[in-house]
Amino acid sequence: MGTLFKSRKHSILVICAAILAICVMLFLFLSTQSGVKAQESKLEQLEAQYASVSEENAQYEHILNEADEREQYEYQARELGYGYPDETKVINVTPGK
């Protein structure tokens, strides 16, 4: 009878340990899944922020390219002798140059 009692006690301890191990694994799995969901959410926010910043950057690049084109057109027009209507042209005629 003593051996049977020890055997049952041993069986109950093994079952409890198995249940405890399963609970710990389940807890770790759920906490990992929670962390993954949080990271996915943060990734979505960062991707949206990146898209917004990329769009803003493209707008600034367009403005810069447009300004460069205007400067280039103005330079070429001045080389051809053109100017603005209200502008006074000054020609420097220094001897020896």
Side-chain angles (χ1 to χ4, degrees):
M1 180 103 175
T3 314
L4 182 61
F5 183 69
K6 286 183 182 180
S7 177
R8 277 192 178 176
K9 190 175 183 182
H10 180 68
S11 299
I12 292 174
L13 287 176
V14 169
I15 292 172
C16 288
I19 291 173
L20 181 63
I22 290 171
C23 289
V24 168
M25 285 188 268
L26 184 62
F27 173 76
L28 291 175
F29 176 76
L30 292 176
S31 66
T32 302
Q33 288 300 316
S34 173
V36 167
K37 294 286 185 192
Q39 292 298 323
E40 286 175 349
S41 173
K42 188 173 183 178
L43 177 63
E44 288 175 8
Q45 290 174 350
L46 290 174
E47 285 175 343
Q49 184 179 3
Y50 174 76
S52 172
V53 169
S54 293
E55 184 179 321
E56 187 177 351
N57 191 26
Q59 290 173 353
Y60 286 137
E61 283 182 11
H62 177 71
I63 291 170
L64 285 174
N65 291 336
E66 194 174 282
D68 289 343
E69 286 179 13
R70 273 191 252 137
E71 288 176 7
Q72 189 177 23
Y73 290 144
E74 185 176 339
Y75 175 77
Q76 290 173 355
R78 291 196 182 278
E79 287 292 314
L80 294 172
Y82 294 106
Y84 290 104
D86 58 345
E87 210 171 47
T88 305
K89 290 186 179 181
V90 177
I91 302 172
N92 186 3
V93 213
T94 308
K97 280 194 172 184

